[in-house]
């Protein structure tokens, strides 16, 4: 079987997240496409989901959903409840202490091809633990199927690489769809700060901090980016400002309007911490500010579903072409391909 380029790219990493920007953007179809084409003779593969995947009908929209088919030799992580419903022969590998609403997370190996409902760890920390466990079992590649609007699972703290699924369910206006998707891609592609800064800031999981011209670290006590009042007194020598939590429009505007922070480097942990509008980000960068991250995922490809749940259909070729030009990455309509 000839591999499309992004299948080869997946093999260069030990973990992959498949993330949909909205329900019905083709995320599960993308997972099916990847699972059917990965060369298992080259990499051992394990798959799980942060939601529930493999249902025949979407529980929200009542539309048909593609079922998940695993090939012989693939590993999977799912809840105890859904493990009992599997339609394949499997070998039990592990039962973790990670508990979900459907029971503990079970890891097993498929001994025959068959269908499975996937409902794995429900948090980023749970996913990290599950991935560490499967790698200890000698499994090369972990694939995580995302849930609605759970971009946090695509954090570099969870997975090395990602595929983004977008489409008419996100917006039936093609120009708006391209712009909104391109902005998310821009956030994913924000550059990593200097290595010395990464080492200094990575251990700081809470609060706000700044680095002066001599490389000294200072804390801004009792302040978050959500605070109504933020004082920047005594920060004339600030060259790097670090927000450990969420970054929002109101705080970015405060930084932008403060003259002593005009050329500051603003650092967040990764793109999933950024909750700002394209307008505010552009203004911040236009006035000399620079956005950087401590960790970055590799965006391998973007896939599109040109059909909305209501039945509205965008021109697939035009959509793929416009979006590819906007983000400078391959864009695939996997069903059409």
């Amino acid at each position: 079987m000839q591999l499309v380029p992004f299948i080869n790219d997946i093999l260069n990493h030990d973990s992959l997240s498949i993330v949909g920007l909205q329900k019905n953007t083709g995320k599960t179809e993308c997972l099916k496409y990847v699972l059917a084409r990965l060369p298992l003779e080259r990499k051992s593969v394990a798959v799980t989901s942060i939601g529930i995947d493999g249902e025949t009908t979407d529980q929200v929209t009542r539309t048909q959903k593609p079922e998940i088919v695993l090939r012989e030799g693939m590993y999977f992580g799912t809840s105890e409840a859904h493990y009992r419903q599997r339609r394949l022969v499997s070998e039990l590998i592990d039962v973790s202490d990670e508990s979900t609403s459907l029971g503990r997370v079970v890891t097993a190996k498929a001994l025959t091809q068959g269908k499975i409902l996937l409902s794995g760890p429900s948090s980023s920390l749970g996913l990290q633990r599950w991935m560490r466990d499967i790698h200890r079992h000698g499994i090369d590649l972990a694939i995580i199927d995302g849930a609605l609007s759970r971009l946090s699972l695509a954090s570099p703290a969870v997975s090395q690489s990602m595929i983004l699924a977008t489409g008419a369910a996100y917006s039936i206006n093609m120009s708006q769809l391209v712009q909104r998707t391109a902005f998310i891609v821009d956030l994913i592609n924000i550059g990593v700060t200097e290595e010395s800064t990464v080492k200094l800031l990575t251990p700081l999981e809470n609060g706000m901090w700044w680095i002066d011209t001599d490389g000294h670290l200072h804390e801004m006590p009792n302040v978050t980016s959500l605070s109504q009042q933020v004082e920047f007194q005594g920060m004339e020598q600030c060259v790097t400002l670090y927000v450990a939590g969420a970054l929002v429009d109101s705080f970015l505007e405060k930084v932008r309007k403060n003259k002593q922070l005009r050329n500051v480097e603003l650092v967040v942990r990764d793109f999933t911490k950024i909750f700002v509008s394209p307008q505010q980000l552009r203004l911040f960068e236009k006035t000399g500010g620079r956005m950087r991250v401590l960790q970055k995922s590799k965006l391998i490809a973007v896939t599109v579903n040109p059909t909305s749940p209501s039945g509205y259909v965008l021109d697939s070729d035009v959509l793929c072409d416009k979006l590819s030009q906007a983000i400078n990455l391959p864009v695939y309509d996997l069903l059409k391909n």
Side-chain angles (χ1 to χ4, degrees), residues 250-278:
S250 58
F251 181 78
L252 189 60
E253 185 176 15
K254 291 183 179 74
V255 173
R256 175 175 59 83
K257 291 182 175 180
N258 191 289
K259 292 184 179 180
Q260 62 184 346
L261 299 176
R262 184 58 55 87
N263 297 307
V264 75
E265 176 190 65
L266 183 56
V267 178
V268 294
R269 186 160 294 274
D270 60 63
F271 85 95
T272 66
K273 300 293 187 183
I274 303 174
F275 299 91
V276 302
S277 64

Side-chain angles (χ1 to χ4, degrees), residues 62-337:
R62 311 309 300 176
T63 53
Q64 290 299 111
K65 289 184 65 176
E67 295 181 284
I68 302 299
V69 178
L70 298 185
R71 293 147 61 194
E72 179 183 349
M74 284 185 165
Y75 296 80
F76 60 95
T78 194
S79 66
E80 290 177 287
H82 286 154
Y83 182 71
R84 296 188 189 101
Q85 299 174 29
R86 67 195 183 282
R87 285 179 280 170
L88 50 77
V89 179
S90 63
E91 175 189 354
L92 186 64
I93 302 298
D94 182 56
V95 179
S96 78
D97 295 330
E98 183 72 23
S99 185
T100 73
S101 59
L102 295 169
R104 293 172 296 177
V105 175
V106 175
T107 302
K109 180 181 181 180
L111 301 181
T112 62
Q113 179 168 301
K115 295 177 180 178
I116 185 74
L117 280 165
L118 293 175
S119 54
S122 56
S123 68
S124 295
L125 286 176
L127 282 170
Q128 288 174 290
R129 285 193 291 267
W130 180 79
M131 290 169 63
R132 283 197 298 268
D133 288 342
I134 65 167
H135 288 314
R136 279 198 289 266
H137 285 291
I139 300 169
D140 301 312
L141 172 63
I143 299 178
I144 307 161
D145 196 17
L148 173 63
S149 301
R150 295 292 295 274
L151 279 174
S152 60
L153 76 91
S155 165
V158 176
S159 63
Q160 285 187 355
S161 63
M162 64 180 293
I163 295 175
L164 198 65
T166 188
Y170 195 38
S171 174
I172 59 173
N173 181 302
M174 188 178 295
S175 295
Q176 186 180 73
L177 172 59
V178 169
Q179 290 174 2
R180 290 169 66 180
T181 303
F183 179 62
I184 298 296
V185 171
D186 286 343
L187 296 184
I188 295 169
N189 289 331
I190 289 174
V192 177
T193 187
E194 295 181 2
E195 185 177 349
S196 58
T197 306
V198 171
K199 291 180 179 179
L200 187 62
L201 297 179
T202 295
L204 308 175
E205 298 183 354
N206 299 291
M208 292 176 52
W209 307 74
W210 60 280
I211 303 172
D212 63 26
T213 52
D214 294 322
H216 297 139
L217 184 65
H218 307 265
E219 183 178 7
M220 298 177 64
N222 304 316
V223 175
T224 73
S225 72
L226 301 175
S227 300
Q228 292 296 317
Q229 299 295 327
V230 181
E231 298 292 337
F232 298 107
Q233 295 176 351
M235 295 177 60
E236 294 82 2
Q237 302 301 314
C238 175
V239 293
T240 298
L241 178 61
Y242 175 55
V243 179
L247 177 66
V248 297
D249 269 353
S250 58
F251 181 78
L252 189 60
E253 185 176 15
K254 291 183 179 74
V255 173
R256 175 175 59 83
K257 291 182 175 180
N258 191 289
K259 292 184 179 180
Q260 62 184 346
L261 299 176
R262 184 58 55 87
N263 297 307
V264 75
E265 176 190 65
L266 183 56
V267 178
V268 294
R269 186 160 294 274
D270 60 63
F271 85 95
T272 66
K273 300 293 187 183
I274 303 174
F275 299 91
V276 302
S277 64
Q279 295 80 7
Q280 282 294 344
L281 184 57
R282 280 197 295 268
L283 285 171
F284 172 70
E285 293 174 337
K286 188 176 181 179
T287 54
R290 291 168 293 122
M291 188 76 72
R292 294 292 183 267
V293 294
L294 298 182
Q295 296 174 297
K296 180 180 176 182
S297 283
K298 168 68 174 177
L299 180 61
I300 290 177
V302 174
T303 67
V304 297
N305 175 10
T307 304
S308 74
S310 62
Y312 190 89
V313 182
L314 298 174
D315 187 303
S316 174
D317 292 335
V318 174
L319 175 58
C320 288
D321 184 59
K322 286 189 173 183
L323 187 53
S324 183
Q325 289 184 38
I327 66 177
N328 197 30
L329 267 177
V331 177
Y332 304 93
D333 179 345
L334 297 179
L335 280 181
K336 183 173 182 177
N337 289 347

